[in-house]
Amino acid sequence: LYEECLIDGRMQKALVSAAKKGTSVKLTGKDQEILHRARARLGYLFTSLRAILSDSAINFKPFVTSGWEEDGNCDALGVTHVGRLPSLTQIVPVYSEEGIMDIKELVGEPKQGAMSTMLEFLISQLPQEWKIFAQHEGMEPTELYEKLAKNECSKEQQSRLREWASHRAQSVIRTVNGAVHYHKALQLLLQRGKEVGFEDIRQHVQLIVAHQTYGKLNLGKAVHAKIQHGVLMTEGAHGLRPNDRVRLSVDTLDADGAVAQRAVAKIAEGFTAAKLRKRAKDVDEQNMEAQASDGSEPEQVARGSAGQEGLPLEQPLPAAAGMLSGLIPTMLAPVKEGEEAPEEAAREKPLKDLKTDSLESLPASPAAPRHPALLGRLWGNANKGLRGFKSGCFYTVKEVIDEQTAILTEDSVNCGTARLEKAESTRRDHDLHYMLRKHKGYPFFVAIDFQRGKVHPRLEELIDQHLASTCEAAGSLRFKHASVLIRYQDHSEEEDWPIEVVHVLPRARGLLIGSQGNLSQGKAGNQLGALRFAEGHFLQMMDANMGCYCGETFKVPIVLQGFHERLVEDCGSDHRLHLQARIIGFREHIFTREHGLVGKIMADAEWTFGTLVQRLLEFLAVRMHYGHPDFMDGFWSSNRGSVSKASPHINLSEDIFAGLNVKTRKEQSLHVDYLEWEKGREVQFLAGSGFFWKIASGSVGLLRTRDLRTLCGNASVTESFALYFATVAWYIHNVLVDVSTELFVLIFVYLTLAAKSISDLGELGSMLAAEWFLTPAFSAMLPAVIGLGIEYGPLWMIRNYMLSAPMSMIYFVFINKSMSSSVRTTFAANTAEYVNTGRPHANKSYTLMEAFRAFRSSHYTPALQLIYAITVYRLMNSDAALPMILVSFTAVVWIAAPILFQPPSKALYEQTKELVTFIAKAPSLHDRIVPGKPSSLYEAALEQELKEASQPLMLPLLWGVFICCLYFLMTTTEVFDQIWAPICSLMILFLWRTLLRWTGVKQAGMIVLIMLGLVLLMIPFTMFAVENPTPGPLLIATLVLFKFLHTTKLCIWKLFSMVLPRGSPLRYEQIVRFTFDCLGIYELQFFGALVVLFVQVPFAGLLWLLDRPPLRLRTWLLLNRRVSVGCVARIYGSSQHSKECEGVRVERI
């Protein structure tokens, strides 16, 4: 608690003293500071210990040494023999997750109009913890922040501060430190009269970070350098250090430079052509002279000769360098006994027989200037200065002379001018080395994905050296892919790579298999790569957003022994084979609850599901594995398809299949309440919506799996109900509610067309005659109300849960629509879609355009359709109509929620301008759309149309025909009289677009606005031709017309998909684009975007005004009222150092 800044030094001494004496301690007081989170941890720890001691199934008996009464020596293992303590392997898959927060990220300039720096936000959220941390550093809180902002702190202080900030965010180091807490607990528990070393701990626990991107090749900025006899010289500062690896390659030079001009002059003199003729003895010299005697320029002669013999001097030098790197090493390779020298073989062999197939596969850069003189010089000097050089290879820096000169270890390298690129280690590598160094005394390993040629050359050397030292035939081993296990080793001579290779397992294929767009799951592959090195009997799969309080780790041995059916003191010999469960789960504490309003809402929802629901699912015997840090039977999982599945479009929710595997094989998945692990959740609105979109899409993939079909096929009716609620019930229910909302409004529109009013429904006694406000959805709050009220007390539940319930309801009205849209979209597309949320911080804002692109089709368009249908109903029933308050509120929330939950930002004008530009940008009439990167509303809407056109069309077409027939039979003549107004408007649009296509004039944004304005004016003009024009029938007529156009569009798509031959996507895309342009689809999207713009921008402006000082209501609601630039000094007051500086008087001289 003291190290995590949850208690101060005085409270630490009081707790230690009370523990030694066996007395009580008061967790309050003015002189002793203890945070609420520390009190909650201590309270749960002692409560869970009482539960363990009173559980007869555990039958815990403490191990007491002699003299326990005097020294208080007792441990949590009890009478269990150390040899029976189950071994555990902890696996943390990592890809691009943040290791440790960077100083620039913490105190750098706020981006995207943020209200403060990242560190100021964390301090404003956790002011007491920052105060305690400053006490640890021996400074005042404001003084510490100011020194850090001015870069006056030492590297050690910066490292400790980065770790403090990372522990209050979702980072890898938080997960690693939490896992190592168990190592430290075992180190204490195993000390029964003996020293506990590395191997003693390794027999019981092992931590593997499966880092998929560790050691990947990262090249610095390329510069040109001159290399002569191993001496490297650059024009500017090279920034090299001893033992650095640099890649040297023959590259193009500047065409305007003097070197290139001299090279062209040499070619003109025939110098290079003469050298090439001398090297190629089999070339017909008479033909060369005949060509030269015809009056051809020497440059043309050299080019023609090279073209005949397979040496294309016209090839740009990057490709030519690749050719030389293949030919020259062949000539300079060592000669074995009985073989002909490669150089002599090359001389005896015609140049045209030297294959250059690899040259054709290399991409030629058209912008790269040609430099044939360099090619001739390299070819001519192959036996002299290029014996130790190979283009594109890495060389080691031996010594640095000055800022522009360095010496390579290969002193024979002499290639003139070359391209120099330094191999640099990434920030992720440094962060991981910091973690390894911090926990170097514990069994902490890293499993990496090795790909030869794509990793840092030093890492490749270490792996080859390990193979050479462990395998006699390592010299002939050359593999491309391998899984490699490394650990920390302090190399005094090399600080950048303090690692030791432990194991190397070559693989036939890469970690991810499949083609682009169909690659296997990265997380599943990462877990499998680490599973090959697992030594423990049991596994714990943790994501990189978890952690653990050190006090909880002392209970892990008791939970692990729960896999066995025997009692603790039983000494049966077959207990390791007879397990009562394959998975054991436990409670979760969501530590991101303190990160703003969205973090609190997500934490309450995750706690309800991860703790309360899991208890019920265990009672129903259908508890699965949902990405929680559960314990698993390692040997069983390794022999039954790993702990997750990796098919990209089916197994998107890869973790749940471990639970399905357990249930299918008639095994058990248990849940215990006396162990709690920490977990993070999304704390930003956009990321939270993306997370729920992903898991909802994964639920559709789950419905398509053989696992679920096999499981349900062998289950009873009651078991099927339980499985339904344990897997996809939540997502299917959201779809049903969403569809019911749409049908609810359309039913009243249809009743209006049938001349049935709300009074007629009341006379029939129908429940549709009244609107309900207290819906069954409120029952979803009961589990959290009861659970939180019992565990934390009614006052805490009211203050921390009930007060945020209204905002939580608004949030989940939007999120439920995200899940419904995801399920419906995945059903139509027949493929699950992965969404990378990135887990941004709570104060990181997003722009209006980012929200518009994310929610345009999933939320904004359905909301506008609901509002349009409600408007039609109210206009047609002005006398007596159902208010439809809840439905209208739902539609407004779908549009306004992204603005309401948007983190405070100062850049409202820039965001509005960006969104207006995106909407009003001129549509491109001929350019192809780049998938996933629309630059305008036209491209985004057209991309959506292309996706819909590529999906199965028969069911949507039949449904559209049915609705059209329904409208045709129900619509009155009054409505059909009004339909001419929108038809005339569409005809004008069609003629206008035809004119633009015929003239080839590009549409400007203003022309689009003028065109749409003409359409708006055309509607009232055409209404003069209609007898008794009214707005209600006109809106219904427009609705009917666009439904007919939508069905017509589907008919055209279906017809041409059958007529056009397969393999002609371009022609089909032209048909889709034609319907998109000529049937008013883009104009409809444009009008909808304008409505969204006119709703969101004023609302955002109102929230911006309410957020001005001194109110700051929006910041107080979403984050806290303290956060702002310079808030540290306002929270704690100015530091003594600042006061002294302010008191200094400067006299004018």
Side-chain angles (χ1 to χ4, degrees):
L1 295 176
Y2 178 74
E3 290 178 355
E4 295 185 20
C5 302
L6 299 181
I7 59 175
D8 61 1
R10 291 184 293 272
M11 179 56 70
Q12 178 198 23
K13 294 179 181 178
L15 289 173
V16 172
S17 176
K20 289 183 177 179
K21 298 178 180 179
T23 59
S24 62
V25 61
K26 190 175 182 180
L27 299 182
T28 57
K30 296 181 179 180
D31 299 333
Q32 301 171 346
E33 189 166 8
I34 179 169
L35 274 63
H36 170 75
R37 190 143 49 100
R39 288 195 293 266
R41 284 184 177 181
L42 291 174
Y44 174 73
L45 176 64
F46 288 106
T47 302
S48 61
L49 291 180
R50 284 196 292 267
I52 292 174
L53 294 175
S54 61
D55 193 343
S56 59
I58 298 176
N59 194 21
F60 181 82
K61 294 182 179 180
F63 171 79
V64 181
T65 59
S66 59
W68 177 78
E69 294 79 3
E70 290 78 13
D71 58 11
N73 189 6
C74 181
D75 59 40
L77 285 181
V79 298
T80 301
H81 190 274
V82 175
R84 292 198 209 89
L85 182 63
S87 57
L88 176 68
T89 295
Q90 303 163 309
I91 297 178
V92 182
V94 178
Y95 180 72
S96 60
E97 289 82 356
E98 189 174 42
I100 309 176
M101 299 182 71
D102 189 58
I103 290 294
K104 294 182 180 179
E105 180 185 1
L106 290 173
V107 297
E109 289 294 328
K111 298 180 180 179
Q112 295 183 357
M115 302 297 294
S116 66
T117 63
M118 186 62 208
L119 185 57
E120 285 177 329
F121 165 70
L122 292 176
I123 293 173
S124 66
Q125 291 288 124
L126 308 164
Q128 292 177 296
E129 296 184 26
W130 176 256
K131 180 181 178 181
I132 297 175
F133 177 73
Q135 293 175 0
H136 292 182
E137 298 296 325
M139 287 183 280
E140 297 179 1
T142 307
E143 180 187 3
L144 178 59
Y145 178 81
E146 290 176 352
K147 283 191 174 183
L148 182 69
K150 296 177 183 178
N151 199 18
E152 297 178 358
C153 293
S154 62
K155 291 185 177 180
E156 291 76 12
Q157 287 178 328
Q158 290 183 0
S159 298
R160 290 193 295 269
L161 189 139
R162 291 175 59 199
E163 191 169 348
W164 179 90
S166 300
H167 264 268
R168 279 118 192 109
Q170 302 183 63
S171 58
V172 178
I173 191 172
R174 181 187 179 96
T175 307
V176 169
N177 289 348
V180 175
H181 280 321
Y182 181 50
H183 301 208
K184 297 178 180 179
L186 283 180
Q187 191 175 25
L188 293 174
L189 294 175
L190 297 176
Q191 287 181 357
R192 293 184 173 180
K194 66 174 184 178
E195 290 292 331
V196 179
F198 177 88
E199 292 298 331
D200 297 321
I201 303 175
R202 186 177 178 179
Q203 292 178 3
H204 301 283
V205 68
Q206 172 196 31
L207 171 61
I208 300 178
V209 173
H211 208 302
Q212 194 171 340
T213 58
Y214 173 82
K216 297 301 180 184
L217 182 60
N218 180 45
L219 298 177
K221 184 179 180 181
V223 297
H224 284 85
K226 293 183 178 180
I227 298 94
Q228 294 181 355
H229 303 291
V231 180
L232 183 149
M233 294 171 288
T234 59
E235 294 182 359
H238 49 61
L240 299 177
R241 299 178 302 171
N243 295 323
D244 279 349
R245 270 65 176 177
V246 294
R247 185 169 74 177
L248 301 177
S249 55
V250 179
D251 200 358
T252 58
L253 301 178
D254 188 1
D256 298 329
V259 179
Q261 294 177 3
R262 289 196 301 268
V264 174
K266 287 184 179 181
I267 293 178
E269 295 172 359
F271 178 76
T272 305
K275 279 198 168 186
L276 289 175
R277 287 195 299 270
K278 184 177 180 181
R279 290 294 176 185
K281 291 183 178 181
D282 292 340
V283 176
D284 193 352
E285 297 182 356
Q286 296 181 357
N287 294 336
M288 292 281 293
E289 293 174 356
Q291 293 179 9
S293 62
D294 291 339
S296 302
E297 293 294 331
E299 182 180 357
Q300 298 176 357
V301 174
R303 187 181 297 114
S305 175
Q308 293 175 5
E309 299 300 327
L311 286 174
L313 291 180
E314 287 293 327
Q315 182 72 27
L317 277 186
M323 181 188 68
L324 286 174
S325 64
L327 294 179
I328 294 176
T330 305
M331 299 174 58
L332 304 179
V335 183
K336 299 181 180 180
E337 296 182 4
E339 295 183 0
E340 188 178 4
E343 179 181 351
E344 299 299 330
R347 289 182 178 179
E348 297 297 332
K349 201 172 186 180
L351 282 176
K352 62 183 180 180
D353 292 338
L354 294 175
K355 302 298 183 181
T356 59
D357 296 339
S358 59
L359 191 64
E360 299 176 359
S361 62
L362 293 173
S365 176
R370 294 188 296 270
H371 196 275
L374 182 60
L375 179 62
R377 185 169 73 250
L378 291 177
W379 185 263
N381 296 332
N383 292 330
K384 298 178 182 179
L386 294 179
R387 286 187 178 273
F389 177 75
K390 183 177 180 181
S391 178
C393 290
F394 286 93
Y395 297 88
T396 305
V397 177
K398 179 180 180 182
E399 183 181 357
V400 176
I401 305 301
D402 53 33
E403 293 183 352
Q404 298 178 344
T405 309
I407 300 177
L408 304 178
T409 55
E410 297 82 358
D411 55 3
S412 61
V413 176
N414 183 19
C415 64
T417 304
R419 178 187 180 96
L420 183 147
E421 296 168 297
K422 177 185 174 182
E424 300 175 343
S425 54
T426 63
R427 175 188 158 190
R428 294 191 183 97
D429 299 340
H430 291 298
D431 291 345
L432 192 58
H433 293 161
Y434 175 84
M435 300 178 213
L436 288 169
R437 188 178 297 108
K438 179 180 179 180
H439 304 300
K440 59 183 178 181
Y442 300 99
F444 175 19
F445 303 89
V446 179
I448 65 175
D449 176 30
F450 173 75
Q451 300 181 57
R452 189 173 297 276
K454 295 185 179 181
V455 299
H456 195 283
R458 178 52 184 161
L459 181 59
E460 190 171 327
E461 292 175 6
L462 291 174
I463 294 174
D464 291 338
Q465 291 173 5
H466 171 78
L467 290 175
S469 62
T470 56
C471 181
E472 297 180 356
S476 60
L477 292 177
R478 281 297 179 268
F479 46 83
K480 185 177 180 180
H481 303 283
S483 295
V484 181
L485 189 70
I486 62 175
R487 69 179 180 182
Y488 178 81
Q489 186 178 33
D490 192 3
H491 295 284
S492 57
E493 71 280 0
E494 191 162 359
E495 299 179 355
D496 290 342
W497 297 95
I499 60 172
E500 175 191 5
V501 179
V502 181
H503 295 296
V504 179
L505 296 179
R507 300 194 311 264
R509 298 179 179 85
L511 191 65
L512 305 182
I513 58 176
S515 59
Q516 189 65 30
N518 294 287
L519 286 174
S520 56
Q521 281 279 0
K523 181 180 176 181
N526 220 0
Q527 291 174 337
L528 184 60
L531 197 59
R532 296 187 175 100
F533 303 109
E535 301 173 353
H537 293 112
F538 300 102
L539 303 174
Q540 184 183 25
M541 294 291 176
M542 293 182 288
D543 292 337
N545 63 336
M546 298 181 181
C548 185
Y549 163 51
C550 62
E552 293 297 306
T553 58
F554 287 91
K555 297 178 288 185
V556 170
I558 299 174
V559 178
L560 292 178
Q561 293 178 74
F563 279 99
H564 308 303
E565 296 180 352
R566 62 177 181 83
L567 298 177
V568 175
E569 69 273 11
D570 188 9
C571 298
S573 59
D574 58 347
H575 68 275
R576 294 187 184 275
L577 301 179
H578 298 283
L579 302 182
Q580 64 174 348
R582 300 300 179 181
I583 297 178
I584 295 182
F586 34 85
R587 293 166 49 101
E588 291 181 351
H589 169 72
I590 312 303
F591 65 87
T592 51
R593 195 180 192 277
E594 301 175 350
H595 288 220
L597 178 62
V598 176
K600 181 184 295 185
I601 295 172
M602 292 286 289
D604 291 338
E606 185 69 19
W607 183 85
T608 302
F609 174 75
T611 300
L612 301 181
V613 176
Q614 297 305 305
R615 296 174 187 165
L616 175 63
L617 295 180
E618 189 221 2
F619 174 76
L620 298 175
V622 289
R623 185 191 182 276
M624 301 295 171
H625 173 65
Y626 305 93
H628 305 303
D630 298 343
F631 296 127
M632 303 181 183
D633 183 0
F635 183 81
W636 187 88
S637 300
S638 301
N639 287 274
R640 287 161 180 82
S642 182
V643 296
S644 57
K645 293 195 174 182
S647 299
H649 303 302
I650 298 179
N651 309 121
L652 183 62
S653 300
E654 71 282 340
D655 294 324
I656 194 175
F657 291 94
L660 291 175
N661 198 9
V662 168
K663 186 62 180 177
T664 305
R665 300 175 187 274
K666 308 296 183 182
E667 302 286 351
Q668 293 294 323
S669 176
L670 303 181
H671 178 85
V672 297
D673 270 318
Y674 49 82
L675 180 64
E676 185 177 70
W677 221 260
E678 294 182 329
K679 185 178 181 180
R681 198 73 281 166
E682 279 71 17
V683 295
Q684 189 214 44
F685 182 80
L686 194 65
S689 177
F691 168 75
F692 282 106
W693 181 284
K694 182 187 71 172
I695 61 175
S697 181
S699 68
V700 180
L702 176 63
L703 289 171
R704 300 165 53 197
T705 59
R706 292 176 295 178
D707 306 68
L708 194 61
R709 179 178 179 180
T710 303
L711 190 57
C712 294
N714 299 324
S716 62
V717 176
T718 55
E719 289 177 338
S720 297
F721 271 107
L723 286 171
Y724 171 68
F725 284 100
T727 52
V728 297
W730 190 24
Y731 314 104
I732 299 299
H733 287 180
N734 284 318
V735 174
L736 295 177
V737 172
D738 189 27
V739 174
S740 300
T741 304
E742 299 173 0
L743 292 178
F744 178 78
V745 178
L746 290 177
I747 283 175
F748 281 93
V749 174
Y750 298 154
L751 290 174
T752 301
L753 293 177
K756 296 295 182 181
S757 64
I758 191 173
S759 58
D760 298 330
L761 296 177
E763 293 176 358
L764 295 174
S766 174
M767 298 179 65
L768 295 176
E771 185 171 5
W772 288 31
F773 289 94
L774 295 177
T775 65
F778 284 96
S779 62
M781 299 174 56
L782 292 178
V785 170
I786 297 174
L788 294 174
I790 293 176
E791 291 202 13
Y792 298 99
L795 293 179
W796 188 96
M797 182 269 298
I798 294 174
R799 185 173 60 252
N800 293 277
Y801 180 74
M802 295 302 297
L803 293 181
S804 62
M807 296 299 296
S808 179
M809 286 189 291
I810 295 175
Y811 181 82
F812 275 102
V813 165
F814 188 93
I815 292 299
N816 291 344
K817 178 60 179 177
S818 296
M819 291 186 286
S820 173
S821 298
S822 175
V823 172
R824 297 170 70 173
T825 302
T826 308
F827 266 123
N830 204 27
T831 178
E833 181 180 358
Y834 178 78
V835 178
N836 183 17
T837 63
R839 295 171 187 158
H841 302 288
N843 67 326
K844 184 177 181 182
S845 185
Y846 51 85
T847 62
L848 295 178
M849 194 189 75
E850 290 174 347
F852 183 83
R853 290 176 57 180
F855 306 126
R856 180 187 61 85
S857 60
S858 61
H859 292 78
Y860 298 164
T861 300
L864 294 176
Q865 292 173 353
L866 277 181
I867 294 174
Y868 186 89
I870 294 173
T871 304
V872 169
Y873 170 71
R874 295 299 299 271
L875 290 176
M876 295 292 292
N877 298 271
S878 57
D879 297 334
L882 199 67
M884 294 191 180
I885 297 176
L886 287 181
V887 180
S888 302
F889 173 77
T890 300
V892 172
V893 166
W894 291 350
I895 297 177
I899 308 302
L900 179 62
F901 289 95
Q902 182 187 21
S905 174
K906 301 177 182 178
L908 179 59
Y909 173 76
E910 290 79 5
Q911 294 181 27
T912 305
K913 183 179 178 180
E914 182 185 24
L915 180 58
V916 171
T917 304
F918 180 81
I919 294 174
K921 185 177 180 181
S924 176
L925 299 178
H926 304 288
D927 298 337
R928 295 199 66 191
I929 305 300
V930 179
K933 297 180 180 179
S935 60
S936 64
L937 174 64
Y938 180 88
E939 294 183 1
L942 180 56
E943 182 181 356
Q944 181 185 356
E945 287 288 298
L946 293 173
K947 288 183 179 179
E948 293 179 0
S950 62
Q951 297 170 3
L953 300 174
M954 183 56 67
L955 288 179
L957 179 59
L958 295 177
W959 177 252
V961 171
F962 172 76
I963 296 296
C964 287
C965 294
L966 189 65
Y967 277 125
F968 181 78
L969 296 175
M970 297 180 62
T971 304
T972 61
T973 56
E974 181 184 5
V975 174
F976 279 115
D977 289 340
Q978 301 275 357
I979 205 170
W980 293 107
I983 289 178
C984 292
S985 302
L986 288 177
M987 291 298 297
I988 293 175
L989 288 177
F990 180 76
L991 293 176
W992 177 260
R993 286 193 172 275
T994 304
L995 178 63
L996 288 178
R997 286 180 176 273
W998 180 67
T999 58
V1001 178
K1002 186 177 181 180
Q1003 301 180 39
M1006 186 57 65
I1007 295 179
V1008 175
L1009 293 177
I1010 293 174
M1011 176 186 64
L1012 297 175
L1014 291 175
V1015 174
L1016 291 177
L1017 292 175
M1018 196 63 196
I1019 294 177
F1021 278 115
T1022 53
M1023 289 177 62
F1024 286 106
V1026 180
E1027 185 178 359
N1028 298 325
T1030 53
L1034 176 61
L1035 293 179
I1036 290 185
T1038 305
L1039 177 65
V1040 173
L1041 175 62
F1042 274 98
K1043 191 60 186 178
F1044 274 95
L1045 290 177
H1046 178 73
T1047 306
T1048 303
K1049 177 188 70 174
L1050 295 177
C1051 290
I1052 295 174
W1053 289 356
K1054 187 61 179 178
L1055 175 63
F1056 280 93
S1057 64
M1058 294 186 300
V1059 172
L1060 291 177
R1062 293 187 177 182
S1064 56
L1066 292 180
R1067 297 179 62 184
Y1068 185 62
E1069 181 179 327
Q1070 293 173 357
I1071 299 299
V1072 176
R1073 194 160 190 164
F1074 173 79
T1075 58
F1076 179 76
D1077 291 337
C1078 299
L1079 297 182
I1081 299 175
Y1082 169 66
E1083 285 72 22
L1084 201 62
Q1085 296 282 348
F1086 188 86
F1087 277 120
L1090 290 181
V1091 174
V1092 172
L1093 179 67
F1094 292 147
V1095 171
Q1096 288 188 343
V1097 172
F1099 185 51
L1102 176 62
L1103 294 178
W1104 183 83
L1105 292 176
L1106 295 176
D1107 203 36
R1108 296 301 89 199
L1111 294 177
R1112 306 200 67 200
L1113 295 179
R1114 184 184 190 183
T1115 303
W1116 170 76
L1117 178 65
L1118 296 179
L1119 302 176
N1120 63 80
R1121 188 169 289 178
R1122 296 180 295 267
V1123 60
S1124 63
V1125 175
C1127 65
V1128 179
R1130 285 191 291 272
I1131 295 173
Y1132 304 101
S1134 300
S1135 64
Q1136 187 66 28
H1137 178 72
S1138 300
K1139 293 179 181 178
E1140 293 175 357
C1141 293
E1142 292 175 0
V1144 175
R1145 295 182 179 180
V1146 181
E1147 297 181 357
R1148 178 178 293 181
I1149 299 177

